[in-house]
């Protein structure tokens, strides 16, 4: 059981959710406001994607990230900033020529995936630790060992903590290899991502197996998607982990009731407290996760 829980709120994501809920933030101001809302509700960490303000689709424009980060920092809201570094790995097979990328492919170099991380210097950035069939179409998310090793080395150089996002056991195996190679600073920080098609299923058994494969000194969190968001949060706390909620992963507070990010944070903190735990402050989270700015 984890009695001192780090709550992360993933405020928007990059998926096609903007037409399903009016609460999904799109513009830099909306994304920043959502991060601030989550912090005021009790989240210690805001996990941030950005979207094209015109189309609402996920974006990797460094200027958008910079505007969001500046807005959050200028608000004097104490919240740990966690930026995605997962954009730019989408490869979609061309229907007429399977050897070639088709429409919608967005593949960039490891250096380009980190432009906004170098400019913004967040506390944390995500590092998706492997390749994955993503959904039922021809979309593959690609993150190769050389790409990951380069990214891990650079973010360590910049003092940014990598959140090692793992979607199946092979991802944990490679993350441990990077740790063994000295590319990841101690203690490593993992995010167990469950329910993403076609990664690991969202179940207590799956979370337990993946948690048991982590390094013994690792800090970790877990999340599920859609209606399994809160059950998987409770399971993570019971197993000693931290939690993630937010509109990136789930749009509903209750059946048929659309949520805001703040409401999802409030709900998961209620669950944590009923289990006998509490949500830690951002500074306590910095100390616990050994982030830049932790007390020494």
């Amino acid at each position: 059981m984890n009695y001192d829980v780090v709550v992360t709120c993933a405020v928007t994501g990059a998926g096609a959710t903007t037409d399903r809920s009016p609460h999904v933030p799109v513009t830099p101001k909306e994304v920043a406001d959502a991060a601030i809302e989550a912090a005021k509700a009790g989240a210690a960490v805001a996990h941030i994607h950005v979207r094209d303000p015109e189309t609402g689709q996920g974006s990797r424009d460094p200027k958008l990230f910079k505007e969001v980060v500046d807005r959050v920092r200028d608000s004097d809201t104490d919240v740990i900033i966690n930026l995605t570094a997962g954009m730019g790995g989408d490869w979609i097979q061309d229907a007429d020529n399977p050897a070639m990328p088709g429409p919608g492919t967005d593949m960039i170099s490891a250096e380009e995936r980190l432009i906004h991380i170098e400019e913004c210097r967040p506390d944390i950035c995500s590092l998706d630790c492997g390749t994955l069939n993503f959904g039922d179409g021809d979309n593959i998310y690609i993150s190769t060992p050389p790409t990951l090793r380069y990214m891990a080395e650079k973010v360590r150089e910049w003092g940014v903590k990598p959140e090692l996002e793992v979607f199946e056991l092979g991802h944990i195996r490679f993350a441990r290899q990077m740790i063994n190679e000295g590319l990841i600073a101690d203690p490593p920080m993992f995010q167990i991502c469950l329910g993403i098609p076609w990664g690991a299923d969202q179940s207590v058994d799956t979370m337990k197996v993946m948690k048991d494969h982590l390094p013994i000194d690792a800090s970790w969190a877990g999340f599920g998607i859609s209606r399994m968001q809160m059950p998987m949060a409770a399971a993570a706390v019971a197993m000693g982990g931290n939690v993630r909620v937010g509109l990136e992963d789930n749009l509903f507070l209750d059946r048929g009731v659309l949520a805001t990010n703040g409401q999802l944070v409030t709900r998961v903190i209620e669950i944590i407290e009923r289990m006998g735990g509490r949500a830690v402050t951002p500074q306590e989270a910095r100390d616990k996760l050994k982030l830049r700015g932790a007390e020494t």
Side-chain angles (χ1 to χ4, degrees):
M1 173 75 186
N2 181 10
Y3 293 98
D4 299 302
V5 182
V6 179
V7 175
T8 293
C9 186
V11 298
T12 190
T17 54
T18 55
D19 61 345
R20 297 171 56 201
S21 171
H23 303 307
V24 176
V26 174
T27 68
K29 182 180 185 303
E30 290 171 348
V31 175
D33 287 347
I36 294 165
E37 173 198 7
K40 289 181 176 178
V45 183
H47 177 62
I48 295 171
H49 289 247
V50 295
R51 294 177 179 270
D52 184 319
E54 300 298 324
T55 67
Q57 295 181 349
S59 174
R60 52 180 174 79
D61 185 342
K63 293 179 181 178
L64 297 176
F65 279 104
K66 183 68 163 53
E67 182 177 347
V68 171
V69 171
D70 286 348
R71 284 179 177 274
V72 174
R73 288 173 174 164
D74 290 346
S75 74
D76 291 327
T77 302
D78 189 15
V79 64
I80 295 167
I81 294 175
N82 175 347
L83 298 185
T84 181
M87 304 296 287
D90 294 315
W91 194 90
I92 301 175
Q93 186 181 61
D94 186 87
D96 297 321
N97 185 355
M100 299 299 293
T105 295
D106 182 32
M107 286 296 302
I108 58 176
S109 68
E111 294 89 342
E112 289 176 288
R113 294 190 195 192
L114 291 175
I115 289 173
H116 63 296
I117 304 300
E118 183 175 17
E119 291 180 353
C120 297
R121 301 296 175 100
D123 307 278
I124 302 168
C125 73
S126 63
L127 201 61
D128 299 325
C129 290
T131 297
L132 184 73
N133 286 331
F134 204 87
D136 272 339
D138 288 321
N139 191 350
I140 301 171
Y141 179 77
I142 297 178
S143 207
T144 65
T147 292
L148 288 164
R149 286 187 170 102
Y150 176 88
M151 294 174 72
E153 184 175 16
K154 296 305 291 185
V155 300
R156 178 165 185 168
E157 176 185 321
W158 299 330
V160 177
K161 186 84 166 183
E163 180 185 59
L164 302 168
E165 294 202 342
V166 291
F167 297 79
E168 46 104 333
L169 286 173
H171 294 176
I172 296 176
R173 185 180 180 190
F174 182 72
R176 294 190 66 147
Q177 178 62 29
M178 289 196 294
I179 293 167
N180 292 338
E181 293 173 8
L183 295 172
I184 307 295
D186 290 330
M189 175 183 174
F190 283 81
Q191 180 72 259
I192 296 175
C193 310
L194 300 178
I196 310 297
W198 290 106
D201 190 20
Q202 46 190 348
S203 69
V204 172
D205 289 346
T206 301
M207 182 178 285
K208 174 70 163 55
V209 168
M210 294 180 73
K211 175 252 184 185
D212 288 347
H213 280 73
L214 301 179
I216 193 167
D217 63 335
S219 64
W220 68 278
F223 73 84
I225 64 172
S226 192
R227 65 188 181 92
M228 292 301 289
Q229 183 170 82
M230 297 301 165
M232 289 297 96
V237 173
M239 291 184 205
N242 299 306
V243 302
R244 166 173 141 174
V245 295
L247 295 180
E248 175 173 350
D249 307 319
N250 165 47
L251 299 177
F252 292 92
L253 185 66
D254 294 304
R255 186 179 181 87
V257 180
L258 291 171
T260 66
N261 282 296
Q263 288 172 331
L264 293 173
V265 171
T266 297
R267 174 65 57 86
V268 81
I269 290 176
E270 290 171 350
I271 292 170
I272 292 166
E273 290 176 346
R274 292 189 180 205
M275 294 175 70
R278 69 183 185 94
V280 302
T281 67
Q283 187 56 52
E284 289 173 323
R286 290 184 189 96
D287 298 339
K288 185 173 184 175
L289 300 174
K290 301 296 188 292
L291 302 180
R292 181 181 57 220
E295 294 180 0
T296 57

